[in-house]
Amino acid sequence: KAGVTQTPRYLIKTRGQQVTLSCSPISGHRSVSWYQQTPGQGLQFLFEYFSETQRNKGNFPGRFSGRQFSNSRSEMNVSTLELGDSALYLCASSLGLVIQETQYFGPGTRLLVL
Amino acid sequence: SQQGEEDPQALSIQEGENATMNCSYKTSINNLQWYRQNSGRGLVHLILIRSNEREKHSGRLRVTLDTSKKSSSLLITASRAADTASYFCATGDIQGAQKLVFGQGTRLTINP
């Protein structure tokens, strides 16, 4: 099976812009989670989608949003970018049937905000 | 806030030696997982140990879990240069939710 794919892999934006990141899960996986990784805060949970519905949400401002499509592909959007949004954004997929099950991560999108 | 805290933050050993990393967490858990990350890439799942298990093995990996002390350890035996990576423990609280909470990680360097 193909692994989790994320596009784009690298992105440079300026403050105030918005960005959309895409994640394609492993075939058959219905849960997609998003994480932000920074040197200072480490890996932090953004949100999880299952069957097109947001099922869990972390402690991030409303500028961070996401959605999931019927084919389980997911996008996350960050509006009004701030310098502190520079990070590696990781998505992870799983079957979504058991809580806290093994997550399969994509390679990440590295976002730099200037 | 971080649920898991790894110790040490960084570890440097010679190839062939064993590496031990520890993880402490704060709340009751369903399971604890260990992941590896190479140079800012995606995380790779290594092993999952359930709250009712005390020890688990996978190849050169050995994980222990002590729920009374809210701690876990990851032992990598006969280390190789390819084991150089950051290692994270991840937990979720017993109340549910799919999200995992990661520690800050241990940066392991294997010197040839």
Side-chain angles (χ1 to χ4, degrees):
Chain A
K1 277 186 181 178
V4 178
T5 59
Q6 291 187 245
T7 56
R9 293 292 311 280
Y10 303 93
L11 208 48
I12 300 176
K13 292 286 188 179
T14 56
R15 279 180 299 175
Q17 288 187 309
Q18 73 166 15
V19 66
T20 299
L21 311 181
S22 180
C23 172
S24 293
I26 290 171
S27 177
H29 285 190
R30 294 165 64 191
S31 170
V32 174
S33 298
W34 288 89
Y35 293 83
Q36 181 197 65
Q37 185 177 28
T38 60
Q41 298 298 315
L43 277 153
Q44 292 191 294
F45 174 81
L46 281 155
F47 30 64
E48 183 228 355
Y49 285 86
F50 178 80
S51 291
E52 303 179 65
T53 300
Q54 187 180 88
R55 191 161 65 170
N56 295 292
K57 189 177 187 301
N59 297 321
F60 278 80
R63 299 185 298 107
F64 292 82
S65 63
R67 59 177 175 169
Q68 187 179 35
F69 302 95
S70 58
N71 62 357
S72 293
R73 189 177 71 85
S74 177
E75 290 181 345
M76 69 161 281
N77 183 276
V78 187
S79 62
T80 319
L81 284 166
E82 301 177 358
L83 295 179
D85 297 333
S86 294
L88 180 67
Y89 290 88
L90 295 162
C91 87
S93 77
S94 65
L95 291 171
L97 303 178
V98 177
I99 60 171
Q100 294 135 34
E101 60 194 1
T102 298
Q103 302 285 303
Y104 296 85
F105 283 81
T109 293
R110 188 165 293 281
L111 171 65
L112 176 61
V113 181
L114 302 175
Chain B
S1 63
Q2 299 293 334
Q3 160 81 307
E5 297 292 335
E6 282 94 342
D7 170 59
Q9 291 188 350
L11 180 61
S12 181
I13 61 174
Q14 295 298 120
E15 196 166 17
E17 294 181 337
N18 295 341
T20 300
M21 288 157 270
N22 302 296
C23 168
S24 60
Y25 57 92
K26 297 174 184 174
T27 64
S28 296
I29 59 173
N30 284 301
N31 62 53
L32 185 144
Q33 303 179 40
W34 285 90
Y35 289 82
R36 183 187 74 223
Q37 184 179 37
N38 291 84
S39 304
R41 298 181 185 176
L43 279 73
V44 174
H45 179 260
L46 296 176
I47 200 164
L48 181 154
I49 185 165
R50 303 191 189 286
S51 59
N52 61 354
E53 297 175 310
R54 292 297 168 258
E55 187 172 312
K56 203 162 183 179
H57 296 254
S58 177
R60 294 182 296 112
L61 306 181
R62 172 179 169 254
V63 168
T64 62
L65 179 64
D66 187 335
T67 52
S68 66
K69 294 181 179 178
K70 291 187 170 57
S71 67
S72 173
S73 68
L74 170 66
L75 168 68
I76 304 174
T77 60
S79 63
R80 305 167 181 170
D83 295 328
T84 293
S86 292
Y87 291 81
F88 296 88
C89 68
T91 60
D93 70 59
I94 204 165
Q95 296 303 316
Q98 189 65 269
K99 73 177 186 182
L100 296 177
V101 181
F102 288 84
Q104 289 285 0
T106 292
R107 174 68 190 166
L108 175 65
T109 302
I110 308 298
N111 302 303

